[in-house]
Amino acid sequence: MQKVTLKELSQLLGATVKGDDTLEITSVATLEHAVQGQLSFLANSKYRAMLEATQASAVLLSEKEASNYQGNALIVSDPYVGFARVAQLLDTTPKESLGIHPSAQIEASAIIGDGVAIGANAVIGANVILGENVQIGPGCVIGETSIIGSDTRLWANVTIYHDVHIGHHCIVHSGSVIGSDGFGYANERGNWIKIPQTGGVRIGNHVEIGACTSIDRGALSHTEIHDGVIIDNQVQIAHNVVIGQNTAMAGGSIIAGSSTIGKYCIIGGGSAVAGHLSIVDGVHVSGGTNITSIIREKGVYSSATVAMENKLWRRNTVRFRQLDDLFSRVKNLEKSAKGTE
């Protein structure tokens, strides 16, 4: 079990220690469930009541909160960010066993870097390049000419098609598919003619992709996911989409083909962005929102209706259908009013 003192943590975080700086921490936990030897945090004032009752050995606190706390504390500007950094340091997530499992199928032309781990029944295609310390989980398939950067991890049963480039320090969770064909067809008198998808996928560094997410390859040019992007579970990213640096997409969201999402955006869960659109940097899309036009200004955008009692929802639905008629009546009344002035 790894142990680290509050003094060592303060040096990592640039924090100030309040209390015993020789105290040893072994893991992190919530205020409610923490026990001795664990570090907790208070990032939201609504949990302040739990602070005095916590059994944590120490707590990450802002300077304001620390002034009223009698226990051991690390004082930081952002307790939640501090918690994230300590959690990384004390992470107990198991790694793939070092080395290559005997059942893995690896083409002779593949280049395997130092420290690579490849799990059972994985398949590595021709001319694939795996950087140093890459971890490939059991059952993964990596198509020919694909490149996986150093210190990247693919959990079990990830499928990477051909000509997919993934940067360093990325994580791809189980069941995800990267590089599948985009939805490209031409219609000839009612018959669908498939358009071969000959582009690839280019994923930057420090990107995390959730479980069962699909990222389609480009039709001609590449689908692009830039550095620092985080993508939740069950997200669909269509062909030739470009997602800018450090954007976050929550579960179940959908980006249709050839749309561009700017940097530092947040796309809420269950949202959908129509095809061939662009969204500027710094946009926050609320959960369940449908984006059907270009967004040119930074801000928060929402479109979902709130939940309500079913009878009220039915009445409001009828009224919504009457909006066009109501608008016309109001316009006519305005014209009449102007005519009598």
Side-chain angles (χ1 to χ4, degrees), residues 1 23-28 35-39 55-58 90:
M1 179 184 296
L23 188 71
E24 291 183 329
I25 299 297
T26 59
S27 59
V28 293
V35 296
Q36 288 296 304
Q38 292 186 311
L39 177 73
Q55 298 301 304
S57 291
L90 300 175

Side-chain angles (χ1 to χ4, degrees), residues 100-112:
I100 298 171
H101 195 277
S103 63
Q105 303 295 310
I106 303 173
E107 289 287 340
S109 58
I111 298 175
I112 310 299

Side-chain angles (χ1 to χ4, degrees), residues 26-57:
T26 59
S27 59
V28 293
T30 63
L31 288 169
E32 183 180 9
H33 297 109
V35 296
Q36 288 296 304
Q38 292 186 311
L39 177 73
S40 192
F41 66 99
L42 177 63
N44 189 323
S45 59
K46 73 179 183 179
Y47 298 111
R48 188 179 293 121
M50 296 181 182
L51 182 58
E52 294 303 326
T54 187
Q55 298 301 304
S57 291

Side-chain angles (χ1 to χ4, degrees), residues 238-287:
H239 58 184
N240 298 110
V241 165
V242 176
I243 299 180
Q245 180 180 349
N246 290 313
T247 281
M249 294 182 62
S253 49
I254 298 170
I255 311 294
S258 300
S259 283
T260 298
I261 312 299
K263 303 175 183 178
Y264 308 107
C265 293
I266 298 176
I267 309 298
S271 296
V273 178
H276 302 273
L277 300 181
S278 61
I279 295 176
V280 299
D281 298 348
V283 166
H284 184 165
V285 176
S286 299

Side-chain angles (χ1 to χ4, degrees), residues 111-116 129-134 147-151:
I111 298 175
I112 310 299
D114 293 338
V116 168
I129 299 175
L130 302 182
E132 294 182 357
N133 304 314
V134 165
I147 299 173
I148 312 294
S150 62
D151 296 289

